[in-house]
Coordinates of all heavy atoms in Angstrom, one line a residue:
L132 N -3.7 7.7 17.3 CA -4.2 7.7 15.8 C -3.7 6.5 15.1 O -4.4 5.9 14.2 CB -3.7 8.9 15.0 CG -3.8 9.0 13.5 CD1 -5.3 9.1 13.2 CD2 -3.1 10.2 13.0
F133 N -2.4 5.9 15.4 CA -2.0 4.7 14.7 C -2.0 3.5 15.7 O -1.5 3.7 16.9 CB -0.5 5.0 14.2 CG -0.5 6.2 13.3 CD1 0.1 7.5 13.6 CD2 -1.0 6.0 12.1 CE1 0.1 8.4 12.8 CE2 -1.0 7.1 11.1 CZ -0.4 8.3 11.6
I134 N -2.4 2.4 15.2 CA -2.4 1.2 16.0 C -1.3 0.3 15.5 O -1.1 0.1 14.4 CB -3.7 0.4 15.9 CG1 -4.9 1.3 16.3 CG2 -3.7 -0.8 16.7 CD1 -6.2 0.9 15.9
H135 N -0.4 -0.1 16.5 CA 0.8 -0.8 16.2 C 0.6 -1.9 15.3 O 1.3 -2.2 14.1 CB 1.5 -1.2 17.4 CG 2.7 -2.2 17.1 ND1 3.9 -1.7 16.5 CD2 3.0 -3.5 17.3 CE1 4.7 -2.6 16.3 NE2 4.1 -3.8 16.7
D136 N -0.5 -2.9 15.5 CA -0.7 -4.1 14.7 C -1.9 -4.0 13.7 O -2.5 -4.9 13.3 CB -0.8 -5.3 15.6 CG -1.9 -5.3 16.4 OD1 -2.5 -4.2 16.6 OD2 -2.2 -6.2 17.1
G137 N -2.3 -2.7 13.5 CA -3.5 -2.4 12.7 C -3.0 -1.6 11.4 O -1.9 -1.5 11.1
V138 N -4.0 -1.3 10.6 CA -3.9 -0.4 9.5 C -4.7 0.7 9.5 O -5.9 0.9 9.9 CB -4.4 -1.4 8.2 CG1 -4.4 -0.5 7.0 CG2 -3.6 -2.6 8.1
T139 N -4.0 2.0 9.2 CA -4.8 3.2 9.1 C -4.6 3.7 7.8 O -3.4 3.9 7.2 CB -4.1 4.2 10.1 OG1 -4.2 3.7 11.4 CG2 -4.8 5.5 10.1
L140 N -5.6 4.0 7.0 CA -5.5 4.6 5.7 C -5.8 6.1 5.8 O -6.8 6.5 6.4 CB -6.6 3.9 4.8 CG -6.3 2.5 4.5 CD1 -7.5 1.9 3.7 CD2 -5.1 2.2 3.9
I141 N -4.9 6.8 5.2 CA -5.0 8.2 5.3 C -4.9 8.9 3.9 O -4.0 8.6 3.1 CB -3.9 9.0 6.0 CG1 -3.8 8.3 7.4 CG2 -4.0 10.5 6.1 CD1 -2.5 8.7 8.2
E142 N -6.0 9.5 3.4 CA -6.0 10.2 2.1 C -5.3 11.5 2.3 O -5.5 12.2 3.3 CB -7.5 10.4 1.7 CG -7.6 10.9 0.2 CD -9.0 11.0 -0.2 OE1 -9.9 10.8 0.5 OE2 -9.1 11.2 -1.5
W143 N -4.5 11.9 1.2 CA -3.7 13.1 1.2 C -2.8 13.1 2.5 O -2.5 14.1 3.1 CB -4.6 14.4 1.3 CG -5.6 14.5 0.2 CD1 -6.9 14.1 0.1 CD2 -5.2 14.8 -1.1 NE1 -7.4 14.3 -1.0 CE2 -6.4 14.7 -2.0 CE3 -4.0 15.2 -1.9 CZ2 -6.5 15.0 -3.3 CZ3 -4.2 15.5 -3.2 CH2 -5.3 15.4 -3.9
A144 N -2.1 11.9 2.7 CA -1.2 11.9 3.8 C 0.0 12.8 3.9 O 0.6 13.1 4.8 CB -0.7 10.5 4.0
G145 N 0.4 13.2 2.6 CA 1.4 14.3 2.5 C 1.2 15.5 3.3 O 2.1 16.2 3.7
R146 N -0.1 15.8 3.6 CA -0.3 17.0 4.3 C -0.1 16.8 5.8 O 0.1 17.8 6.5 CB -1.9 17.3 4.3 CG -2.3 17.7 2.8 CD -3.8 18.0 2.8 NE -4.1 18.4 1.4 CZ -5.3 18.7 1.0 NH1 -6.3 18.8 1.9 NH2 -5.5 19.1 -0.2
I147 N 0.2 15.6 6.2 CA 0.5 15.4 7.7 C 1.8 14.5 7.7 O 2.0 13.8 8.6 CB -0.6 14.8 8.5 CG1 -1.0 13.4 7.9 CG2 -1.7 15.6 8.7 CD1 -1.7 12.5 8.9
A148 N 2.7 14.6 6.7 CA 3.8 13.8 6.6 C 4.8 13.8 8.0 O 5.2 12.7 8.3 CB 4.8 14.2 5.5
E149 N 4.8 14.9 8.6 CA 5.6 14.9 9.8 C 4.9 14.2 11.0 O 5.6 13.7 12.0 CB 5.8 16.4 10.3 CG 4.5 17.1 10.7 CD 3.6 17.6 9.7 OE1 4.0 17.5 8.5 OE2 2.6 18.1 9.9
C150 N 3.6 13.7 10.8 CA 3.0 12.8 11.8 C 3.0 11.4 11.6 O 2.7 10.7 12.5 CB 1.5 13.4 12.0 SG 1.3 15.1 12.5
L151 N 3.5 10.9 10.4 CA 3.5 9.6 10.1 C 4.6 8.9 10.6 O 5.7 9.4 11.0 CB 3.6 9.4 8.5 CG 2.5 10.0 7.7 CD1 2.8 9.9 6.2 CD2 1.1 9.4 8.0
P152 N 4.3 7.7 11.0 CA 5.5 6.8 11.5 C 6.6 6.7 10.5 O 6.3 6.9 9.3 CB 4.8 5.4 11.7 CG 3.4 5.6 11.6 CD 3.1 6.8 10.9
R153 N 7.7 6.6 11.2 CA 8.9 6.5 10.1 C 8.8 5.4 9.0 O 9.2 5.6 8.0 CB 10.2 6.3 11.0 CG 11.5 6.4 10.1 CD 12.8 6.2 11.1 NE 12.8 4.9 11.8 CZ 13.3 3.8 11.4 NH1 13.7 3.7 10.2 NH2 13.2 2.7 12.1
E154 N 8.4 4.2 9.5 CA 8.1 3.1 8.6 C 6.7 3.0 8.3 O 5.8 3.0 9.2 CB 8.6 1.8 9.2 CG 10.1 1.8 9.4 CD 10.6 0.5 9.9 OE1 9.9 -0.3 10.5 OE2 11.7 0.1 9.5
H155 N 6.3 3.2 7.0 CA 4.9 3.1 6.6 C 4.9 2.8 5.1 O 5.9 2.8 4.4 CB 4.3 4.7 6.8 CG 4.8 5.7 6.1 ND1 5.9 6.4 6.6 CD2 4.7 6.2 4.8 CE1 6.3 7.3 5.6 NE2 5.6 7.2 4.6
W156 N 3.6 2.5 4.7 CA 3.4 2.2 3.2 C 2.8 3.4 2.6 O 2.1 4.2 3.2 CB 2.4 1.1 3.1 CG 2.8 -0.3 3.5 CD1 2.8 -0.8 4.6 CD2 3.4 -1.2 2.5 NE1 3.2 -2.2 4.6 CE2 3.7 -2.3 3.3 CE3 3.8 -1.1 1.1 CZ2 4.3 -3.4 2.8 CZ3 4.4 -2.3 0.7 CH2 4.7 -3.4 1.5
E157 N 3.2 3.7 1.3 CA 2.6 4.7 0.5 C 1.9 4.1 -0.7 O 2.6 3.2 -1.4 CB 3.6 5.7 0.0 CG 4.2 6.4 1.1 CD 5.4 7.4 0.8 OE1 5.5 7.6 -0.4 OE2 6.0 8.0 1.6
I158 N 0.7 4.4 -0.9 CA -0.1 3.7 -1.9 C -0.8 4.8 -2.8 O -1.3 5.8 -2.3 CB -1.2 2.9 -1.4 CG1 -0.6 1.9 -0.4 CG2 -2.0 2.2 -2.6 CD1 -1.8 1.1 0.5
S159 N -0.5 4.8 -4.1 CA -1.1 5.8 -5.0 C -2.0 5.0 -6.0 O -1.6 3.9 -6.3 CB 0.0 6.6 -5.6 OG 0.8 5.8 -6.5
A160 N -3.0 5.7 -6.4 CA -3.8 5.0 -7.5 C -4.1 6.0 -8.6 O -4.0 7.3 -8.5 CB -5.3 4.8 -6.8
S161 N -4.1 5.4 -9.8 CA -4.3 6.2 -11.0 C -5.3 5.5 -11.9 O -5.5 4.3 -11.9 CB -3.0 6.5 -11.8 OG -2.3 5.2 -12.1
H162 N -6.0 6.3 -12.7 CA -7.1 5.7 -13.7 C -6.2 5.2 -14.9 O -5.3 5.7 -15.4 CB -8.0 6.8 -14.3 CG -8.9 7.2 -13.1 ND1 -10.1 6.7 -12.8 CD2 -8.7 8.3 -12.3 CE1 -10.8 7.3 -11.8 NE2 -9.9 8.4 -11.5
V163 N -6.6 4.0 -15.3 CA -6.0 3.4 -16.5 C -7.1 2.9 -17.5 O -6.9 2.2 -18.4 CB -5.1 2.2 -16.2 CG1 -3.9 2.7 -15.4 CG2 -5.8 1.0 -15.5
G164 N -8.4 3.3 -17.1 CA -9.4 2.9 -18.1 C -10.7 3.5 -17.3 O -10.7 3.9 -16.1
E165 N -11.8 3.3 -17.9 CA -13.1 3.8 -17.3 C -13.4 3.2 -16.0 O -13.9 3.8 -15.1 CB -14.2 3.6 -18.4 CG -15.5 4.3 -17.9 CD -16.6 4.1 -19.0 OE1 -16.4 4.4 -20.2 OE2 -17.7 3.8 -18.6
S166 N -13.0 1.9 -15.9 CA -13.4 1.1 -14.7 C -12.1 0.4 -14.0 O -12.3 -0.6 -13.4 CB -14.6 0.1 -14.9 OG -14.2 -0.8 -15.9
S167 N -11.0 0.8 -14.5 CA -9.7 0.2 -14.0 C -8.9 1.3 -13.4 O -8.8 2.3 -13.7 CB -9.0 -0.4 -15.2 OG -9.7 -1.5 -15.7
R168 N -8.2 0.6 -12.3 CA -7.2 1.6 -11.6 C -5.8 0.8 -11.5 O -5.8 -0.4 -11.5 CB -7.5 1.9 -10.2 CG -9.0 2.4 -10.0 CD -9.0 3.9 -10.6 NE -10.3 4.4 -10.4 CZ -11.4 4.4 -11.3 NH1 -11.2 3.6 -12.4 NH2 -12.6 5.0 -11.1
R169 N -4.7 1.6 -11.5 CA -3.5 1.0 -11.2 C -3.0 1.5 -9.9 O -3.1 2.8 -9.5 CB -2.5 1.4 -12.3 CG -1.0 1.0 -11.9 CD 0.0 1.3 -13.1 NE -0.4 0.3 -14.2 CZ -0.5 0.7 -15.5 NH1 -0.5 2.0 -15.8 NH2 -0.9 -0.2 -16.4
F170 N -2.5 0.6 -9.0 CA -2.1 0.9 -7.6 C -0.5 0.8 -7.7 O 0.0 -0.2 -8.1 CB -2.8 0.1 -6.7 CG -4.2 0.3 -6.4 CD1 -5.2 -0.3 -7.3 CD2 -4.7 1.4 -5.5 CE1 -6.5 -0.1 -7.1 CE2 -6.0 1.6 -5.5 CZ -6.9 0.9 -6.3
A171 N 0.1 1.7 -7.0 CA 1.5 1.7 -6.9 C 1.8 1.7 -5.4 O 1.2 2.4 -4.6 CB 2.3 2.8 -7.6
F172 N 2.7 0.8 -4.9 CA 3.1 0.6 -3.5 C 4.4 0.9 -3.2 O 5.3 0.5 -3.9 CB 2.7 -0.8 -3.0 CG 1.3 -1.1 -3.1 CD1 0.8 -1.6 -4.2 CD2 0.5 -1.1 -2.0 CE1 -0.6 -2.0 -4.4 CE2 -0.9 -1.5 -2.0 CZ -1.5 -1.9 -3.3
R173 N 4.7 1.7 -2.1 CA 6.1 2.0 -1.7 C 6.1 1.8 -0.3 O 5.3 2.2 0.5 CB 6.4 3.4 -2.1 CG 7.8 3.9 -1.7 CD 8.1 5.4 -2.0 NE 9.3 5.7 -1.5 CZ 9.4 6.4 -0.4 NH1 8.4 6.6 0.4 NH2 10.7 6.8 0.1
S174 N 7.1 1.1 0.2 CA 7.3 0.9 1.6 C 8.6 1.7 2.0 O 9.6 1.7 1.4 CB 7.6 -0.6 1.9 OG 7.9 -0.8 3.3
T175 N 8.5 2.2 3.2 CA 9.7 2.9 3.8 C 10.4 2.1 4.9 O 11.2 2.5 5.6 CB 9.3 4.3 4.5 OG1 8.4 4.0 5.5 CG2 8.7 5.2 3.4
H176 N 9.9 0.9 5.1 CA 10.5 0.0 6.1 C 11.9 -0.5 5.6 O 12.3 -0.5 4.5 CB 9.5 -1.4 6.2 CG 8.2 -1.1 6.6 ND1 7.2 -0.6 5.9 CD2 7.7 -1.3 7.9 CE1 6.1 -0.4 6.7 NE2 6.5 -0.8 7.8
A177 N 12.6 -0.9 6.7 CA 14.0 -1.3 6.6 C 14.1 -2.5 5.5 O 15.1 -2.6 4.9 CB 14.6 -1.7 7.8
N178 N 13.1 -3.3 5.6 CA 13.2 -4.6 4.8 C 12.2 -4.3 3.7 O 11.3 -5.4 3.3 CB 13.0 -5.9 5.5 CG 11.6 -5.8 6.2 OD1 10.9 -4.8 6.5 ND2 11.2 -7.0 6.7
A179 N 12.0 -3.2 3.0 CA 11.0 -2.8 2.0 C 10.9 -3.8 0.8 O 10.0 -4.3 0.5 CB 11.3 -1.4 1.5
A180 N 12.1 -4.2 0.3 CA 12.1 -5.2 -0.8 C 11.4 -6.5 -0.5 O 10.6 -7.0 -1.3 CB 13.6 -5.4 -1.3
E181 N 11.7 -7.0 0.6 CA 11.0 -8.3 1.1 C 9.5 -8.0 1.2 O 8.7 -8.8 0.9 CB 11.6 -8.8 2.3 CG 11.0 -10.2 2.9 CD 11.1 -11.3 1.8 OE1 12.1 -11.3 1.0 OE2 10.2 -12.1 1.7
R182 N 9.2 -6.9 1.9 CA 7.7 -6.6 2.1 C 7.0 -6.5 0.8 O 5.8 -7.0 0.6 CB 7.5 -5.4 3.0 CG 7.9 -5.6 4.5 CD 7.8 -4.4 5.2 NE 8.1 -4.5 6.6 CZ 7.1 -4.5 7.6 NH1 5.8 -4.3 7.2 NH2 7.4 -4.8 8.8
L183 N 7.6 -5.8 -0.1 CA 7.1 -5.7 -1.5 C 6.8 -7.0 -2.2 O 5.9 -7.1 -2.8 CB 7.8 -4.6 -2.3 CG 7.6 -3.2 -1.7 CD1 8.6 -2.3 -2.4 CD2 6.2 -2.6 -2.0
K184 N 7.7 -7.9 -2.0 CA 7.8 -9.2 -2.6 C 6.6 -10.0 -2.1 O 5.8 -10.6 -2.8 CB 9.0 -10.0 -2.5 CG 10.2 -9.5 -3.3 CD 11.4 -10.5 -3.0 CE 12.6 -9.9 -3.7 NZ 13.8 -10.7 -3.3
Q185 N 6.4 -9.9 -0.7 CA 5.2 -10.6 -0.1 C 3.9 -10.0 -0.5 O 2.9 -10.7 -0.8 CB 5.4 -10.5 1.4 CG 6.6 -11.2 1.9 CD 6.8 -11.1 3.4 OE1 6.1 -10.1 4.1 NE2 7.7 -11.8 4.0
L186 N 3.8 -8.7 -0.7 CA 2.6 -8.1 -1.2 C 2.3 -8.4 -2.6 O 1.2 -8.8 -2.8 CB 2.7 -6.5 -1.0 CG 1.5 -5.6 -1.4 CD1 0.4 -6.0 -0.6 CD2 1.9 -4.2 -1.5
A187 N 3.3 -8.6 -3.4 CA 3.0 -9.0 -4.8 C 2.5 -10.4 -5.0 O 1.7 -10.7 -5.7 CB 4.4 -8.8 -5.6
A188 N 3.1 -11.2 -4.1 CA 2.7 -12.7 -4.1 C 1.2 -12.7 -3.7 O 0.6 -13.5 -4.1 CB 3.7 -13.4 -3.2
A189 N 0.9 -11.9 -2.6 CA -0.5 -12.1 -2.1 C -1.4 -11.5 -3.2 O -2.5 -12.1 -3.3 CB -0.6 -11.3 -0.8
A190 N -1.0 -10.4 -3.9 CA -1.9 -9.9 -4.9 C -2.1 -10.9 -6.0 O -3.2 -11.1 -6.5 CB -1.3 -8.6 -5.5
R191 N -1.1 -11.6 -6.4 CA -1.1 -12.7 -7.5 C -2.1 -13.8 -6.9 O -2.9 -14.3 -7.8 CB 0.2 -13.3 -7.7 CG 1.1 -12.3 -8.6 CD 2.2 -13.1 -9.2 NE 3.3 -13.4 -8.1 CZ 4.2 -12.7 -7.6 NH1 4.3 -11.5 -8.0 NH2 4.8 -13.2 -6.7
E192 N -2.1 -14.2 -5.7 CA -3.0 -15.2 -5.1 C -4.4 -14.8 -5.3 O -5.2 -15.5 -5.7 CB -2.6 -15.5 -3.7 CG -1.4 -16.3 -3.6 CD -1.0 -16.6 -2.1 OE1 -1.9 -16.6 -1.3 OE2 0.2 -16.9 -1.8
V193 N -4.7 -13.6 -4.9 CA -6.0 -13.0 -4.9 C -6.5 -12.9 -6.4 O -7.6 -13.3 -6.6 CB -6.1 -11.6 -4.3 CG1 -7.4 -10.9 -4.5 CG2 -5.8 -11.7 -2.8
Q194 N -5.6 -12.4 -7.3 CA -6.0 -12.3 -8.7 C -6.4 -13.8 -9.2 O -7.3 -13.9 -9.9 CB -4.9 -11.6 -9.5 CG -5.2 -11.4 -11.0 CD -4.1 -10.8 -11.6 OE1 -2.9 -10.7 -11.2 NE2 -4.5 -10.0 -12.7
A195 N -5.6 -14.7 -8.9 CA -5.9 -16.1 -9.5 C -7.2 -16.6 -8.9 O -7.9 -17.2 -9.5 CB -4.7 -17.0 -9.0
E196 N -7.4 -16.4 -7.6 CA -8.6 -16.7 -7.0 C -9.9 -16.1 -7.6 O -10.9 -16.8 -8.0 CB -8.7 -16.4 -5.5 CG -7.8 -17.4 -4.6 CD -7.6 -16.9 -3.2 OE1 -8.4 -16.0 -2.8 OE2 -6.8 -17.5 -2.4
N197 N -9.8 -14.8 -8.0 CA -10.7 -14.1 -8.6 C -11.0 -14.5 -10.1 O -12.2 -14.2 -10.6 CB -10.6 -12.6 -8.4 CG -10.9 -12.2 -7.0 OD1 -11.6 -12.9 -6.2 ND2 -10.1 -11.1 -6.6
S198 N -9.9 -14.8 -10.7 CA -10.2 -15.2 -12.2 C -10.4 -16.7 -12.3 O -10.7 -17.2 -13.5 CB -8.8 -14.9 -12.9 OG -7.8 -15.8 -12.4
G199 N -10.5 -17.5 -11.2 CA -11.0 -18.9 -11.4 C -9.8 -19.9 -11.6 O -10.0 -21.0 -11.9
N200 N -8.6 -19.4 -11.6 CA -7.5 -20.3 -11.9 C -7.0 -21.1 -10.6 O -7.0 -20.7 -9.5 CB -6.3 -19.4 -12.4 CG -6.6 -18.8 -13.8 OD1 -7.4 -19.4 -14.5 ND2 -6.0 -17.8 -14.0

């Protein structure tokens, strides 16, 4: 089910929590407007803080590219 160097997205992963790898990402989405969503990311990795910083930096780059900056 899980590929070491790949990504597997699972909706309702809490239903199979005992099957998930010890280190994984948790992503939740919520509505913040008619056409907008807010995503929250949580990492269970040993170096979670660093991974989250890298993710935030990548998200800022994508946002800048999409806004023409």
